[in-house]
Amino acid sequence: MAAAGLFAVCLSSAYPAHAFLARPALFAAIGGATRAPTGWVQFCAENAEECRPLADQARDVVLTPELLQQLYQINKYVNDRVQWTSDPDLYGKAERWTYPLDRGDCEDIVLLKRRLLAKAGWPQGALLITTVEERGANKGRHAVLTVRSDRGEMILDNQTPEILFWYETNYRYLSRQSVTDPNIWVSFGAEQPRPDTVPAEHQFTR
């Protein structure tokens, strides 16, 4: 009963587990190779062991209610633990990617989520650091974690407790890691698939 209660709290009422898992599997169209962010290059220079492709790099994940619960728990844990703080305020420099303690910016938060999920058994190729551009008056660059599974690609974001499919966010997607090698970054295709069941205002457009 306790586990069921926790699961009910973790999942949004708009997306109960059975409905979430029943959504059509839809993957973003990926373009060609592109330059890795300078922050990733710097991070790998300092943490080479964290950037090597692993043997199970591209293993597919079959999303279950238990794994979905784990995503919500880790996403919430990191969002609650780390207070967003800019790199200039924290490190005195424009850009630095590192694992945060209690403060960090969006890239740091993504790195911690990626690390915790990997330690929980998720393959590295399912945990893709992704750069996006926010829309509207506060337009700016941002980083989120794309989590790939057989049910499609989900976005873990420090700006919301919700876990959304990639096409349900209001971001313009710029680049992300390749599923085969975390040091290879790829762009997003100019044309993206659109699910029939999602209203147009919630679909990703470039």
Side-chain angles (χ1 to χ4, degrees):
M1 290 295 291
L6 176 62
F7 192 40
V9 170
C10 289
L11 291 179
S12 163
S13 60
Y15 293 106
H18 69 277
F20 196 102
L21 296 173
R23 298 290 294 277
L26 190 64
F27 297 86
I30 298 302
T34 190
R35 180 179 299 180
T38 57
W40 174 256
V41 176
Q42 159 261 308
F43 173 79
C44 290
E46 299 174 358
N47 304 273
E49 71 284 354
E50 300 284 339
C51 302
R52 297 190 182 98
L54 302 178
D56 69 343
Q57 172 78 30
R59 175 168 60 85
D60 291 335
V61 174
V62 177
L63 190 62
T64 63
E66 293 75 22
L67 288 178
L68 184 57
Q69 177 185 358
Q70 189 176 70
L71 282 183
Y72 271 88
Q73 289 175 324
I74 289 177
N75 190 58
K76 183 178 187 305
Y77 170 77
V78 177
N79 285 354
D80 290 347
R81 169 183 170 177
V82 182
Q83 178 182 351
W84 187 92
T85 309
S86 71
D87 285 337
D89 288 343
L90 196 54
Y91 304 112
K93 56 178 63 177
E95 187 74 357
R96 174 172 171 77
W97 291 26
T98 190
Y99 290 119
L101 295 175
D102 58 352
R103 294 188 295 161
D105 68 359
C106 56
E107 291 91 0
D108 303 337
I109 293 169
V110 165
L111 284 170
L112 183 56
K113 291 177 183 179
R114 178 177 178 265
R115 184 186 215 180
L116 293 179
L117 285 167
K119 286 186 174 181
W122 291 73
Q124 190 171 254
L127 309 172
L128 309 175
I129 301 173
T130 304
T131 65
V132 301
E133 185 176 71
E134 298 175 297
R135 300 178 185 276
N138 297 323
K139 182 178 179 180
R141 297 294 177 95
H142 183 48
V144 296
L145 185 66
T146 297
V147 179
R148 283 177 53 92
S149 75
D150 64 325
R151 300 314 312 153
E153 295 162 327
M154 298 158 287
I155 300 299
L156 274 59
D157 190 347
N158 67 290
Q159 297 189 13
T160 176
E162 295 294 338
I163 293 177
L164 302 175
F165 286 104
W166 64 271
Y167 52 79
E168 295 176 315
T169 76
N170 194 35
Y171 293 133
R172 177 175 178 263
Y173 289 78
L174 303 176
S175 67
R176 79 180 189 196
Q177 293 172 304
S178 163
V179 299
T180 59
D181 188 331
N183 301 300
I184 297 175
W185 287 67
V186 293
S187 61
F188 284 80
E191 299 295 331
Q192 293 292 335
R194 295 180 178 277
D196 296 333
T197 57
V198 176
E201 63 268 22
H202 296 302
Q203 295 182 9
F204 158 60
T205 58
R206 292 183 64 85

